[in-house]
Amino acid sequence: MARSDSIGRLGAEFFTPGSSSFTEFVQAHRPELLSTGGLLPEGVQAAPDQVPHGTTVLALTYRDGVMIAGDRRATMGNLIAQRDLEKVHPADDYSAVAFAGTVGLALDLVKLYQVELTHFEKIEGIPMTLNAKAARLAAMIRQNLGQAMQGLAVVPLLTGYDPTAPLGRRGRIFSFDVTGGPYEKTDFHAEGSGSPYARGALKKLYRADMSRRDAALAALQALFDAADDDSATGGPDISRRIFPIVSVITEDGFERLSQQETEELSREMVEQRHHQPDGPVATL
């Protein structure tokens, strides 16, 4: 990545004092390697039907921590570009990030963010606090503002387990706007074109003391409602065995629910929908 002399020795930039940010290091010495830095030619807008976009992702806190989930569909206009896209990724041992928006840039952003957190921990000897992780992701999103204004927006959702927070509030959720503004959310949140329907479902199903199983069912119900009203969101694909990605972050760290567990819960939910097509009602 960095320049070296003809003998193969590292360049002077590696020995110049600076911050512990990998992104800032690359921005200073090899900015052409950052996919978030380039703009389309002046006056050019990205055609929405030519670039894959991913939706919908959501997060909710529960008894043991925080859960984050996403559907698997990516679309280009009215076409399904991919049926099994993974929109939920671990950021480090105690945080995870999911995304809606331009798929190519989002995947690059997630990989760069993972490196950013690892690099900081190696340089400083300690992991970032969750607040610092949110601030760092916000700065990275801000670097993509020019492309976002040209139609290539990336909207991530960050979750993490914060051992310094009071008991019962250690699962935390952060959303961001396209300018990089971070906003901490309480209880639950969703992003993407199906997010209004997902948030509506979570509003009636959410309880702070939910078990992991109940939280997973609530997340799957919310994604099903989103898919029911938003063509860009995909529901469980029983025939192809493609199901939403569901992960949790607790005091034990990040864990992705197994394919078998997610499939069993998805099939149970679909069976319930045979009797209640509009999903479960809110308890009074």
Side-chain angles (χ1 to χ4, degrees):
M1 183 274 293
R3 298 176 177 88
S4 60
D5 59 24
S6 58
I7 306 177
R9 292 178 296 192
L10 294 175
E13 59 267 30
F14 284 95
F15 304 97
T16 304
S19 77
S20 52
S21 169
F22 178 79
T23 306
E24 290 178 5
F25 176 80
V26 178
Q27 184 69 49
H29 300 289
R30 294 292 297 276
E32 70 275 10
L33 296 179
L34 294 175
S35 62
T36 55
L39 294 174
L40 298 175
E42 185 175 355
V44 174
Q45 290 288 116
D49 59 347
Q50 298 298 315
V51 181
H53 283 74
T55 60
T56 299
V57 295
L58 59 84
L60 65 155
T61 59
Y62 71 108
R63 186 171 60 202
D64 300 324
V66 62
M67 178 172 289
I68 185 167
D71 82 306
R72 308 294 297 277
R73 179 173 293 179
T75 57
M76 291 193 304
N78 64 329
L79 300 178
I80 297 176
Q82 188 173 349
R83 301 179 188 274
D84 60 351
L85 177 66
E86 297 199 10
K87 307 173 189 177
V88 180
H89 302 267
D92 64 5
D93 290 341
Y94 288 93
S95 60
V97 62
F99 66 83
T102 308
V103 171
L105 292 180
L107 290 173
D108 277 355
L109 179 68
V110 168
K111 293 175 184 176
L112 185 59
Y113 186 57
Q114 292 168 334
V115 173
E116 180 78 10
L117 299 188
T118 302
H119 183 265
F120 178 92
E121 187 169 350
K122 288 182 177 180
I123 296 296
E124 298 294 337
I126 57 172
M128 280 189 190
T129 65
L130 191 53
N131 285 338
K133 292 176 187 178
R136 189 64 230 147
L137 184 54
M140 294 173 67
I141 297 167
R142 199 169 298 117
Q143 292 173 351
N144 188 52
L145 180 58
Q147 289 176 317
M149 294 298 99
Q150 292 181 302
L152 298 175
V154 176
V155 184
L157 186 62
L158 175 68
T159 60
Y161 185 84
D162 185 357
T164 67
L167 283 173
R169 306 302 303 175
R170 292 183 175 177
R172 300 174 64 189
I173 302 168
F174 294 88
S175 71
F176 304 84
D177 60 33
V178 294
T179 67
Y183 309 94
E184 183 163 6
K185 301 298 182 178
T186 302
D187 299 334
F188 59 85
H189 189 65
E191 293 287 0
S193 62
S195 61
Y197 314 108
R199 287 198 296 268
L202 289 173
K203 189 175 291 186
K204 68 179 181 179
L205 297 176
Y206 179 80
R207 302 188 317 278
D209 62 344
M210 284 190 294
S211 66
R212 168 170 143 158
R213 187 178 190 280
D214 289 343
L217 281 171
L220 292 171
Q221 293 280 8
L223 289 172
F224 194 100
D225 277 355
D228 200 32
D229 287 296
D230 174 45
S231 61
T233 303
D237 192 332
I238 302 294
S239 60
R240 295 184 177 88
R241 298 187 65 196
I242 299 173
F243 303 97
I245 300 296
V246 182
S247 299
V248 297
I249 308 103
T250 67
E251 64 179 353
D252 296 322
F254 174 90
E255 179 189 355
R256 173 170 162 170
L257 272 63
S258 67
Q259 168 81 5
Q260 179 181 353
E261 184 176 1
T262 307
E263 180 174 350
E264 288 175 355
L265 292 172
S266 296
R267 290 182 181 275
E268 178 181 333
M269 178 201 62
V270 171
E271 181 61 30
Q272 292 174 354
R273 292 277 178 155
H274 289 161
H275 308 287
Q276 290 180 295
D278 294 327
V281 298
T283 56
L284 300 178

